Amino acid sequence: MRDDAFRAYFERHHASLSRLAYLMTGEPSAADDLAADALTEVWRHWDRVQAAADPVAYGHGIVMNLARNWIRRRSRERIFTFGLAGRGHEGSDVPAVLDVRGALRKLPHRRRACVVLRYAFDLSEREVAATLGISVGAVKSSTSRGAKQLAELLGGSVSRIDGWEAAR
């Protein structure tokens, strides 16, 4: 019974978890790994997941935490590998091609998480708050600021982020 319930959860939500991880990291291989790691955690805590008010939000929360840790680790690796500590702003001399993925990577984690969950996953403010463990007010603020920053990075209006499928 437990195996069947988890298998159904896996089949229903694996693609969504992978897509969320991809939008947070911008890396296809990392997204698959993070989704697999998240599903492993879901399995380990299956009783808690099933008891949660929103089992899908529970899984999304795990992905968000794993993605945040992946991004932090990756940033530290880059600083160490390229000796960027103490230098000027990274990439300031190189013109960048701005696309949704690149622009998303420039948003602070909470803003990125709120924008992705609200626009790409069409979650309500209350659902985003539950997923991230923050208040609805924080979701509203972070989403608004993140959407504005994303629009500025894209050199246009927020409507340019409507093509989320194209981002993958």
Side-chain angles (χ1 to χ4, degrees), residues 78-145:
R78 284 184 182 156
I79 288 170
F80 179 75
T81 302
F82 298 112
L84 296 175
R87 289 192 182 177
H89 186 71
E90 178 182 353
S92 61
D93 298 334
V94 180
V97 176
L98 295 177
D99 62 352
V100 174
R101 290 178 302 172
L104 277 172
R105 276 182 247 157
K106 293 180 181 180
L107 297 181
H109 180 77
R110 181 181 282 182
R111 288 182 189 176
R112 180 182 330 151
C114 288
V115 167
V116 166
L117 290 171
R118 287 284 290 137
Y119 293 116
F121 284 80
D122 200 28
L123 297 183
S124 71
E125 291 165 340
R126 186 169 254 133
E127 291 170 320
V128 174
T131 297
L132 299 178
I134 60 177
S135 71
V136 172
V139 170
K140 289 179 181 182
S141 174
S142 294
T143 302
S144 174
R145 290 178 180 152

Side-chain angles (χ1 to χ4, degrees), residues 10-75:
F10 179 95
E11 290 173 4
R12 229 180 349 255
H13 304 295
H14 177 264
S16 173
L17 294 173
S18 183
R19 182 170 173 235
L20 174 59
Y22 176 76
L23 288 169
M24 293 305 297
T25 65
E27 297 287 335
S29 61
D32 291 338
D33 290 345
L34 292 175
D37 291 347
L39 286 163
T40 300
E41 287 302 305
V42 165
W43 172 253
R44 286 184 46 200
H45 303 287
W46 185 241
D47 293 335
R48 263 191 261 168
V49 173
Q50 286 186 305
D54 187 350
V56 178
Y58 197 101
H60 283 160
I62 293 171
V63 169
M64 298 307 282
N65 288 331
L66 291 171
R68 180 178 40 245
N69 291 338
W70 182 88
I71 291 165
R72 286 179 181 161
R73 207 171 35 254
R74 178 98 178 220
S75 295

